[in-house]
Amino acid sequence: MNPHPPDPGPPYAPYPPPQPPKKSLGTGAIVAIVLGSIFGALLLLGIIGAAVSGGTDSNGDTEPKRTAPAEAGPAPEKPAVAPAEEKPEKAAEIEVTAKKTTFKPGILHDGGAYTSVTVTVANKGGRSIPVNPLYFTITDTGGGVHTQELGRDERQIDTVDLAPGEHITGVVTGEGGFTPAYVTYAPGLLGKSVRGEVS
């Protein structure tokens, strides 16, 4: 007889060693990535905007304008040159007309005072133009600028793309009671603004 019983083996399997904790991005790294992404998107928009504008100013000049330093002496006299023939002005591609109208409460009316203007946008150019209620502002007779109040008037102008030759009519509404002088339509970030006097 054997004084020691046979070894039955380990009574249970040993646990494997613990896994090291997984490393995750810290809050600072996440903020840096988000801010870097936003900066990159803004930079990309700036580059695209510069490419689209073609480097011309609002007069169509491609040369940069230079101004004389403020402390420069008198400018040398230039010989008289006959004025160049002026180019005929290009017809407006976008026409905006506006007329004061009564405010008709819409689904988001909160009981406050609002001023509405009926606006017609006509595309007289050769390519589509975007129309969006957010592209409009109303300037009052005192020079105050009122942004579009969405859903306040039931006849709000729609969001559409106007093909050449098309037009749309709708209402633009500003908060408060005021006398509107003109409506400004500024399509998107890169579009030129067009005014329509309120009749």
Side-chain angles (χ1 to χ4, degrees):
M1 244 194 172
N2 190 355
H4 298 288
D7 187 22
Y12 54 89
Y15 290 108
Q19 297 283 335
K22 293 183 181 179
K23 293 185 178 183
S24 64
L25 291 177
T27 305
I30 293 172
V31 169
I33 290 171
V34 170
L35 291 177
S37 299
I38 291 171
F39 176 75
L42 291 174
L43 183 64
L44 182 63
L45 284 174
I47 291 171
I48 291 172
V52 169
S53 70
T56 62
D57 65 10
S58 61
N59 297 330
D61 297 333
T62 56
E63 293 293 320
K65 297 206 188 265
R66 298 175 193 237
T67 57
E71 297 178 15
E77 291 187 33
K78 294 183 181 180
V81 179
E85 281 187 37
E86 290 188 21
K87 297 177 184 175
E89 263 194 53
K90 194 164 106 175
E93 293 185 1
I94 302 170
E95 182 180 90
V96 176
T97 56
K99 184 178 181 182
K100 182 148 174 40
T101 188
T102 57
F103 172 71
K104 291 191 178 178
I107 59 173
L108 295 179
H109 180 245
D110 59 2
Y114 292 92
T115 301
S116 292
V117 178
T118 300
V119 177
T120 300
V121 178
N123 184 357
K124 298 189 174 212
R127 58 181 183 223
S128 297
I129 60 168
V131 176
N132 185 313
L134 296 175
Y135 295 166
F136 293 92
T137 58
I138 305 170
T139 303
D140 62 34
T141 53
V145 177
H146 305 267
T147 58
Q148 165 71 13
E149 292 291 328
L150 296 175
R152 302 297 195 233
D153 193 301
E154 65 184 26
R155 303 160 298 163
Q156 175 176 296
I157 196 161
D158 291 325
T159 300
V160 296
D161 282 328
L162 287 182
E166 292 182 334
H167 70 277
I168 186 169
T169 300
V171 172
V172 177
T173 303
E175 186 173 9
F178 57 89
T179 303
Y182 59 88
V183 173
T184 303
Y185 163 74
L189 297 173
L190 302 174
K192 292 182 180 179
S193 62
V194 180
R195 285 185 180 178
E197 300 294 324
V198 176
S199 59

